[in-house]
Amino acid sequence: MIFVALGVGMSLPWLLFTLFPSLVNVFPKPGPWMNKVKLAFGAMMLLTSLWLVTLLSTFIGFALTAVLIAMVIIATLVLIGKQYGRKAVAILTALSIFVVGGGLIIGSVTADKWSTPLVDDLQWRKLDRDQIPELVAQGKTVFVDVTADWCITCKANKIGVILQNPVYDKLQQSNIVLMRGDWTTPSDSVTQYLQSYGRFGVPFNIVYGPKYPQGIPLARCFDVRRGAAIC
């Protein structure tokens, strides 16, 4: 159903023009302005691509990732300069600075309204599902966080829930054992663990305890102020 919905959404403009051909008259006439629009959208795609490249730092290291990003930026500007001239390079650079700067400003202004994460000094163990029954038998409560560096939702879950009180304080109690499953790189053990609970993506959080040795999978949405699931 997901792919059907994607297909319908992507083909919707064509279907509308087929049913109502007169809609073509609503669009502006083709002209040089299209090249400027193309550059604007290209800049946004370039910034998105650069962010995706930063995810390689986990695999190839920060230094090599930074060199790769610099090479991509320089090559892009050189090619644009040859094709469209210095003015286009200046426009693209200004647009990129505007988008990145605007995003940083908006993020800093809204950070306090959304959440200010605490220092991540929680003591995480590597996920080992065989140890969980032993720890629970000792009266421990085990909190499992399955995450990945490339997962935006995981980062939001970490900043907005795990590193917020009262969750953060509760996770530091002496009877709490923290386990983290890292799915940044392919891991058969983590994949099998997720599939055993009918999950095929991250983030995934579950809590085990003496009263609930089989675990309680947690919802992905929380009321941070109350520390309670709301969805």
Side-chain angles (χ1 to χ4, degrees):
M1 292 302 297
I2 292 175
F3 288 106
V4 170
L6 287 171
V8 172
M10 295 177 68
S11 62
L12 186 59
W14 301 102
L15 295 175
L16 288 175
F17 286 124
T18 302
L19 295 174
F20 308 100
S22 60
L23 288 177
V24 175
N25 299 324
V26 178
F27 279 79
K29 300 296 181 181
W33 63 269
M34 297 180 67
N35 289 328
K36 298 179 181 179
V37 173
K38 182 171 64 175
L39 285 174
F41 281 103
M44 290 187 284
M45 292 183 66
L46 176 62
L47 292 174
T48 303
S49 300
L50 291 176
W51 171 77
L52 291 173
V53 171
T54 61
L55 299 179
L56 289 174
S57 60
T58 303
F59 305 93
I60 63 177
F62 176 80
L64 187 56
T65 302
V67 171
L68 182 59
I69 291 175
M71 291 174 60
V72 171
I73 293 175
I74 293 173
T76 301
L77 293 177
V78 169
L79 290 173
I80 291 176
K82 289 183 177 180
Q83 182 71 25
Y84 300 102
R86 295 182 179 179
K87 185 177 180 180
V89 174
I91 294 174
L92 179 61
T93 303
L95 180 62
S96 300
I97 295 174
F98 175 78
V99 172
V100 174
L104 293 174
I105 293 173
I106 293 174
S108 63
V109 171
T110 59
D112 293 336
K113 296 181 180 179
W114 179 49
S115 60
T116 301
L118 300 171
V119 178
D120 186 7
D121 56 357
L122 298 173
Q123 302 301 312
W124 294 95
R125 300 186 186 182
K126 184 179 180 180
L127 175 61
D128 186 348
R129 65 183 308 171
D130 295 331
Q131 289 186 356
I132 294 176
E134 301 176 7
L135 293 169
V136 171
Q138 298 172 11
K140 299 290 187 180
T141 297
V142 181
F143 176 81
V144 177
D145 177 38
V146 184
T147 183
D149 286 344
W150 42 258
C151 173
I152 295 296
T153 311
C154 299
K155 296 183 183 297
N157 187 53
K158 177 181 177 180
I159 295 173
V161 179
I162 295 177
L163 297 183
Q164 296 294 324
N165 283 322
V167 177
Y168 179 79
D169 284 343
K170 290 183 181 297
L171 293 180
Q172 295 189 91
Q173 295 178 0
S174 58
N175 67 318
I176 302 293
V177 177
L178 305 179
M179 287 190 174
R180 173 164 285 168
D182 190 354
W183 214 31
T184 301
T185 57
S187 171
D188 292 337
S189 61
V190 174
T191 300
Q192 293 172 3
Y193 180 78
L194 288 170
Q195 292 179 350
S196 68
Y197 289 95
R199 303 297 177 91
F200 300 91
V202 289
F204 175 62
N205 297 118
I206 184 170
V207 179
Y208 303 86
K211 294 183 179 180
Y212 300 96
Q214 301 303 318
I216 304 176
L218 302 181
R220 292 188 179 184
C221 302
F222 291 82
D223 184 336
V224 177
R225 289 168 295 183
R226 294 185 299 162
I230 59 174
C231 69

